[in-house]
Amino acid sequence: MSAINHQVRLAARPLGLPTSSDWSMTEELVPTPGAGEFVVAISYLSLDPAMRGWMNAGASYIEPVEVGDVMRAGAVGRIVASEHPGFAVGEHVYGAFGAQEYALSDGVGIFKVDPALAPLPTYLGTLGMTGMTAYFGLFDTGKMQEGDIVVVSGAAGAVGMAVGQMAKIKGAERVIGIAGGEEKCRWLIDELGFDAAIDYKRENVAAALRDAAPKGIDVYFDNVGGEILDAALTRLARGARIVICGAVSQYNSTEGVKGPANYLALLVARASMTGMVVFDYAARYPQAMAEIAGWMREGRLISREHIVDGGVSAFPETLLKLFNGENLGKLVLRVGED
Ligand SMILES: NC(=O)c1ccc[n+]([C@@H]2O[C@H](COP(=O)([O-])OP(=O)(O)OC[C@H]3O[C@@H](n4cnc5c(N)ncnc54)[C@H](OP(=O)(O)O)[C@@H]3O)[C@@H](O)[C@H]2O)c1
């Protein structure tokens, strides 16, 4: 192949919000697969708040992206050349293909996806990593039970929208979402069936939680950390479980992560706060995907993707949408054809 592969590379480690000088745009020839390899033309890239952490030096639950490397990104695409016996030209696949137009793969860690069953972007969201995160975070880490009062922050985002709907499906007594802005809060109640929504940009979250969850919170699924986590800690029911899924309010802090001041509420409520990493559940993804796909087919779970056009060069500015709350649902970037 002699086509060009446009790529986005990490040029510098950001301080605070990433800026254009933290990225470089490069071009290479589209690779040719060797024996046991195939080439994917990427259709959609996943944009994830965790990317901000991968840009920092120092190991976390995953190695950092090195300066000069193609930015790590989950993606779905179509195989356009193959020398791999298990992957044929024309098949669609999901993998960590990176922020580029074409990727070379040996098939390790790659899942086949079927665009006849769901649109490709859904495999980056509710039928992909964020859906898995919601499912295992809520039911495994959060041990959600029928009759629970469930609160989720970042509720109108990719993970949050799935958490709230899954909690309703499994019989939560009340599901309360916390999100930024009236439009998002209305969407949670009118379209997704949440029982209540709190606009953290306008309301006092602790006071609003007192009104919305007078009996206290059984499961708090935390996507944002910071002050909202602190507010939720003041409203725990006895034996509450807090799922530490992420802390998007802290990822761009230049002053270090602000921890919860109200953590002694855990003692009073005999509660627990547990971190989760979705990759730990990889062996159980197929089971979760099948159950989630069933709920979607029955119309009980809605998936929404926020698709940005603009090609791979729009990656840097699109990433910022996650940190200023411009996305409703799962944020994806269209890079090529389906
Ligand atoms: N542990 C794991 O394995 C795992 C896996 C995937 C994702 N995660 C985590 O799950 C969380 C959600 O990820 P996602 O992909 O679903 O992203 P998302 O919720 O679709 O997008 C991020 C949202 O965060 C909200 N936000 C941004 N800055 C905020 C702030 N300062 N305070 C409060 N809210 C803020 C914005 O919504 P508003 O308009 O409502 O502010 C924005 O839309 C992230 O923390 C992510 O790191 C963890």
Side-chain angles (χ1 to χ4, degrees):
M1 258 182 239
S2 57
I4 299 294
N5 179 22
H6 296 93
Q7 304 166 313
V8 180
R9 290 177 187 267
L10 184 65
R13 301 210 180 276
L15 274 178
L17 271 177
T19 64
S20 55
S21 60
D22 298 321
W23 305 104
S24 64
M25 304 294 157
T26 56
E27 293 182 1
E28 282 181 356
L29 288 180
V30 173
T32 305
E37 293 179 331
F38 58 87
V39 173
V40 181
I42 291 168
S43 308
Y44 299 92
L45 285 180
S46 174
L47 282 292
D48 295 274
M51 287 170 160
R52 180 61 190 84
W54 304 341
M55 297 168 78
N56 292 336
S60 172
Y61 63 95
I62 192 169
E63 290 300 309
V65 175
E66 295 302 333
V67 172
D69 281 358
V70 172
M71 181 60 194
R72 179 187 296 134
V76 283
R78 189 173 30 88
I79 297 176
V80 291
S82 180
E83 296 296 333
H84 192 299
F87 292 88
V89 170
E91 287 187 312
H92 289 84
V93 283
Y94 166 87
F97 296 128
Q100 54 186 343
E101 292 172 331
Y102 295 88
L104 186 67
S105 173
D106 61 5
V108 175
I110 306 302
F111 298 89
K112 292 187 186 175
V113 301
D114 186 350
L117 295 181
L120 283 180
T122 309
Y123 291 102
L124 297 178
T126 308
L127 285 177
M129 219 47 78
T130 56
M132 299 299 112
T133 305
Y135 184 97
F136 292 109
L138 183 62
F139 301 132
D140 206 276
T141 315
K143 300 182 174 60
M144 193 218 115
Q145 304 293 320
E146 204 177 316
D148 276 351
I149 309 291
V150 176
V151 175
V152 57
S153 57
V159 174
M161 68 174 176
V163 167
Q165 294 181 86
M166 289 177 188
K168 288 299 286 187
I169 288 169
K170 289 284 187 176
E173 182 181 315
R174 233 172 128 60
V175 173
I176 301 150
I178 304 173
E182 213 182 313
E183 185 201 348
K184 290 188 177 186
C185 288
R186 237 192 350 256
W187 180 65
L188 293 175
I189 295 172
D190 294 347
E191 304 289 328
L192 302 192
F194 282 51
D195 298 289
I198 297 168
D199 177 359
Y200 75 89
K201 291 186 174 164
R202 213 175 38 88
E203 298 178 68
N204 175 313
V205 176
L209 282 172
R210 195 175 51 236
D211 295 341
K215 292 194 288 185
I217 302 165
D218 296 304
V219 178
Y220 172 55
F221 194 110
D222 190 31
N223 287 315
V224 305
E227 288 172 12
I228 294 176
L229 169 58
D230 248 334
L233 278 164
T234 67
R235 298 300 314 153
L236 299 182
R238 190 158 173 160
R241 287 83 66 202
I242 297 181
V243 181
I244 300 297
C245 174
V248 67
S249 75
Q250 304 297 304
Y251 294 167
N252 291 293
S253 168
T254 50
E255 291 149 17
V257 171
K258 188 168 164 280
N262 295 333
Y263 80 96
L264 281 179
L266 297 171
L267 180 159
V268 178
R270 287 76 157 173
S272 65
M273 188 150 97
T274 311
M276 72 87 60
V277 173
V278 66
F279 304 136
D280 295 347
Y281 297 93
R284 292 166 59 194
Y285 291 168
Q287 163 231 325
M289 268 183 89
E291 191 166 11
I292 295 169
W295 293 331
M296 290 175 68
R297 257 195 319 274
E298 295 161 6
R300 300 169 76 197
L301 194 156
I302 294 167
S303 179
R304 177 165 174 153
E305 293 83 32
H306 183 131
I307 300 172
V308 175
D309 283 305
V312 74
S313 63
F315 177 85
E317 73 213 43
T318 307
L319 181 63
L320 296 180
K321 290 184 187 295
L322 293 170
F323 302 116
N324 58 30
E326 276 182 63
N327 63 304
L328 184 63
K330 169 67 194 168
L331 185 63
V332 302
L333 178 62
R334 194 195 309 271
V335 165
E337 290 170 14
D338 278 26

